Amino acid sequence: MQPAATPDRSADLVLRGGVVHALDDAGTTGQAIAVRHGRVLRVGSDAEVAETIVRGTRVIDLDGRAVLPGINDSHLHAAWLGAMWPQTVFGPGGAPDAGALGAAAPEGTDPAAIEATGDPHDTSGAAPLLTTREERRSAILRAGELVASLGITSYTEPGLGPGEDDGATGCFGQDVFEAYAELEAERALTARVTVLGLFGVLDGPSSLRDVLAGLPELRRETARPSRLRVAGVKIFADGIPPMHQAWTHRRYPDGTQGGLLIDGADPDERAAALRRMIREANRLGLQVGVHATGDRTIDTVVEAVEEALAQTRTDLGHYIIHGDLVSPDALARMTRLGMGLNVQAGIAAHTASWVAAVLGDEVAASAWPIRAAWEAGVPVSLSSDAPILAPDWRQGIADADAWIGAPAPGEERDRMLALLRAYTTVPALQDGAAAWKGSLEPRKAADLCVLEADPLTLAPADLPSVGVDLTVVDGDVVFERVPVSSV
């Protein structure tokens, strides 16, 4: 018979006999973890955690497996992913996948032409993938099953709203958010979802009038903000370098320098509108995630955030999405402003040759500077941009490690820790939720995943072959690969 424990120290769930990496500031590692009422109760030795086991506690024997905080994919288009999976825009070899493009691009689109232009997001003219509320609900649930099987307990849906109500795919309009709200009301979502509103066209233009009119709508409350929350707004500031769309200080082979996607009569008017959007969102207490790839665009966004904080001091964690050509000076300023950087290392690896073709090898080699961002003190979140890539964070870590380059001898463990934090604690910071999720500390959310091997004993390149055995959100098991030993 299990010993009786005091009510406030008894666990609902205990995982023991393995290694638990809390990923907290203290570097806590234990053999076991106890969970009570959806919160972490204790991380410690098997003996320490045994004190929390009472009649009714579910006990899972890890048999040497590893426990990590739940994975947070901080840039993942779940409705689009659910509509397309198992296809992705980039196929296994790195080039756009013909089958995926057949689903997401106009009939007759030549995959080779899209590879040449480097515009994997372009879905103009496509037949909609989702047309009804029920189809959108099904796609979200399908994506939820997939991400749960990968140990993902939180994700950011980066861009939903009326700007895409007539969009080509049907995966980004306001009705997608309404589908999310319905599913959350039914307690059907198996991951925490953070949403950014969208008042322009996906990868396309937006107007100052539409964004200013839409921003107040984003202050909508949800029933459980810890499970579904609108954090702020996404702005598409420019395109991508291979299509000569990123606004740069350099010139492309045709002599152009790209430009902003914001409506305006000239570059100065467009830049002024972008700055106004950011200032107003900040004034309203809304986070801004800006799709910005060109160095000139990024400089403009950083200047705008600096202006916004001078007018209304906030701690919202505005951030740059992609940030292909971010400069050392911009990184230093981002650190001072509390800005983050959201990077997809797999996209960097797949498209570096395209950037080199239009801006040269030196620019391509210095693009997506994850190491420089770390050294500057910028919080770097790694993400998938699924379904551009598959939502497999294990491959994302392998891609990021390869992109950064080999660590110095003796620094391999620190490298793996930094990469794991880029999928856990740093995205929690991006979500404004670091106080209650992202690491396995007492009273924080019991969101965790179980791997069949300890990632800190492996090279990042070996991580994709390590299986995810269990995923837990709020103390509830939402995925179990095979029945594990349980008492």
Side-chain angles (χ1 to χ4, degrees), residues 120-142:
H121 290 84
D122 186 1
T123 59
S124 56
L129 297 170
L130 304 174
T131 58
T132 67
R133 173 74 59 83
E134 188 55 41
E135 288 175 350
R136 292 172 182 124
R137 286 168 53 97
S138 296
I140 292 166
L141 292 174
R142 188 174 186 221

Side-chain angles (χ1 to χ4, degrees), residues 278-287 302-318 332-340:
I278 293 171
R279 291 198 306 269
E280 183 63 11
N282 180 74
R283 187 187 70 80
L284 292 172
L286 298 168
Q287 185 183 53
V302 173
E303 291 167 4
V305 171
E306 193 165 31
E307 294 168 0
L309 296 182
Q311 292 182 358
T312 310
R313 188 67 201 181
T314 64
D315 187 21
L316 297 169
H318 306 308
R333 296 175 69 186
M334 288 168 66
T335 300
R336 294 195 298 271
L337 297 169
M339 296 181 67

Side-chain angles (χ1 to χ4, degrees), residues 338-362:
M339 296 181 67
L341 179 65
N342 194 291
V343 180
Q344 301 76 37
I347 293 178
H350 293 329
T351 63
S353 62
W354 302 349
V355 174
V358 297
L359 291 172
D361 292 338
E362 184 177 347

Side-chain angles (χ1 to χ4, degrees), residues 413-485:
R413 181 183 175 89
D414 287 343
R415 169 66 66 80
M416 180 62 87
L417 281 170
L419 292 169
L420 289 171
R421 288 188 172 112
Y423 270 106
T424 54
T425 60
V426 182
L429 182 67
Q430 177 184 296
D431 288 345
W436 60 269
K437 75 171 185 176
S439 58
L440 298 176
E441 301 176 67
R443 295 180 295 281
K444 283 194 172 184
D447 298 350
L448 57 89
C449 65
V450 176
L451 303 184
E452 62 181 356
D454 182 357
L456 293 183
T457 66
L458 303 171
D462 297 328
L463 190 57
S465 64
V466 175
V468 176
D469 281 352
L470 193 75
T471 305
V472 174
V473 178
D474 259 346
D476 295 325
V477 175
V478 298
F479 169 76
E480 200 164 359
R481 184 166 65 148
V482 293
V484 294
S485 178

